[in-house]
């Protein structure tokens, strides 16, 4: 084996320390209480082949908490949904129902968009 092939495998520069230190690479997630969060609920069809989806944004929770909340909201609406980049998407137009349910949970909720 030549010394040239050994050099190509070594790390020359790494900005965030060792790759084994995954804690340094994760972004901190602050689980704020519901009263301190401003939530926006809107209905949209753009980019979804004409299907209406209710999009809920503004959450500052960990992914585990968002998954629990998503499951609860899907059960209340009787429809499917998903979690994408700290945004909840519920299939169908359920703005009024979601505003009521989230308000009962203590969130400050507003309907945005038309």
């Amino acid at each position: 084996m030549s010394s040239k092939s050994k050099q190509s495998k070594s790390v020359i520069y790494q900005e965030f320390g060792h790759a084994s230190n995954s804690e340094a690479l994760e972004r901190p997630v602050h689980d704020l209480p519901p009263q301190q969060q401003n939530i926006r609920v809107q209905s949209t069809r753009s980019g979804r082949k004409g299907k209406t989806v209710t999009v809920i944004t503004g959450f500052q929770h960990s992914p585990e908490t968002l998954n629990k909340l998503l499951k609860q909201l899907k059960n209340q609406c009787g429809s499917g949904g998903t979690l994408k980049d700290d945004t909840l998407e519920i299939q169908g137009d359920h703005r009024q129902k979601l505003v009521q349910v989230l308000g009962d949970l203590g969130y400050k909720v507003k309907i945005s968009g038309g």
Side-chain angles (χ1 to χ4, degrees):
M1 237 180 160
S2 70
S3 63
K4 191 173 188 179
S5 65
K6 286 183 181 179
Q7 289 177 355
S8 65
K9 292 181 183 180
S10 65
V11 176
I12 296 173
Y13 176 76
Q14 189 168 3
E15 186 173 351
F16 295 109
H18 298 290
S20 62
N21 189 4
S22 62
E23 293 175 3
L25 299 175
E26 293 180 9
R27 67 182 175 112
V29 177
H30 302 288
D31 245 351
L32 290 178
Q35 299 82 8
Q36 295 180 2
Q37 298 189 39
N38 294 318
I39 307 301
R40 300 281 183 198
V41 179
Q42 75 178 45
S43 181
T44 182
R45 293 190 313 198
S46 64
R48 293 174 176 83
K49 299 181 182 177
K51 305 285 184 182
T52 302
V53 175
T54 304
V55 180
I56 310 165
T57 58
F59 289 107
Q60 295 178 5
H61 285 304
S62 65
E64 297 83 23
T65 306
L66 286 177
N67 279 326
K68 290 178 186 177
L69 181 62
L70 176 64
K71 184 174 181 178
Q72 182 179 1
L73 295 176
K74 288 191 314 186
N75 285 335
Q76 290 286 327
C77 294
S79 65
T82 188
L83 172 64
K84 291 184 182 176
D85 300 326
D86 296 335
T87 300
L88 302 180
E89 295 182 0
I90 307 289
Q91 295 173 354
D93 186 5
H94 301 283
R95 287 179 293 184
Q96 296 298 329
K97 177 77 172 175
L98 290 172
V99 167
Q100 178 184 358
V101 171
L102 289 169
D104 292 343
L105 292 174
Y107 292 95
K108 291 187 261 181
V109 187
K110 288 186 179 179
I111 294 179
S112 67

